[in-house]
Amino acid sequence: GWERSKMNDKQQKKTALYCRLSVDDGRLGESISIESQKILLVQYCKDHAIKNYEIYDDDGFSGTNFDRPGFGRMYEDIQRGLIDTVIVKDQSRFGRSYIQVGMYVEQFKDMGVRFIAVDDCYDSSQTDYDMMFPMRNVINEYYLSLSK
């Protein structure tokens, strides 16, 4: 009974594919467009046999804060227990404030949600601590300060 129904809950959880593009990213061109992020993430799902996913995107939103509609919708779904994995192209797509990015990733971990940044080869389910994770966050925030 109970054990079985718990397993079914697990199977119904979905993977969130999160994409973000802001005006600050404009000069980076097509390689980072919402469309190319979606293609990359959907391909990642195919390669890893992930069938149940939903795309959340914020087009034209800065990574400096998390007050974005797509992110908000995804975060609500996480809080409702509908999502067990969040996949982004790279950490900077998730956000450019390294303190906030780190905070959310820690929070996700506490909620049993795995966080994957494909291009950064980061996966929160890998137990060994990734030294580069905070470094990339700092670099992403520094990059933003240069573009002001």
Side-chain angles (χ1 to χ4, degrees):
W2 183 79
E3 212 37 61
R4 187 168 208 62
S5 68
K6 203 169 151 74
M7 267 173 61
N8 288 345
D9 286 352
K10 183 86 183 111
Q11 286 163 348
Q12 282 152 5
K13 288 196 177 188
K14 64 186 172 193
T15 294
L17 308 183
Y18 181 74
C19 307
R20 183 189 64 79
L21 189 69
S22 83
V23 284
D24 307 331
D25 300 316
R27 68 190 169 292
L28 297 171
E30 248 334 271
S31 68
I32 207 164
S33 74
I34 290 278
E35 214 37 58
S36 68
Q37 289 178 56
K38 285 179 184 172
I39 292 165
L40 176 103
L41 296 177
V42 168
Q43 187 58 53
Y44 182 91
C45 286
K46 282 184 185 146
D47 295 346
H48 294 81
I50 299 166
K51 292 195 175 26
N52 187 14
Y53 60 82
E54 185 175 338
I55 295 170
Y56 298 80
D57 62 349
D58 285 311
D59 200 348
F61 287 86
S62 168
T64 54
N65 68 60
F66 283 86
D67 189 17
R68 314 174 212 140
F71 180 82
R73 201 166 59 79
M74 178 180 77
Y75 194 65
E76 273 174 31
D77 285 351
I78 288 170
Q79 289 178 311
R80 287 170 39 210
L82 304 176
I83 292 171
D84 61 8
T85 308
V86 172
I87 307 179
V88 295
K89 177 184 184 289
D90 59 56
Q91 274 168 239
S92 72
R93 297 302 91 213
F94 186 65
R96 288 196 183 272
S97 157
Y98 85 94
I99 291 175
Q100 282 185 301
V101 168
M103 196 186 72
Y104 275 112
V105 171
E106 277 308 303
Q107 210 175 17
F108 289 175
K109 230 186 251 188
D110 294 344
M111 296 160 100
V113 175
R114 179 179 177 190
F115 180 76
I116 298 172
V118 178
D119 286 357
D120 296 329
C121 300
Y122 177 79
D123 181 343
S124 67
S125 75
Q126 305 305 317
T127 46
D128 49 336
Y129 180 72
D130 177 9
M131 298 273 298
M132 283 309 292
F133 186 76
M135 288 304 296
R136 277 190 299 269
N137 281 327
V138 170
I139 292 161
N140 289 333
E141 196 165 286
Y142 175 70
Y143 171 79
L144 195 72
S145 71
L146 294 178
S147 64
K148 293 250 187 297

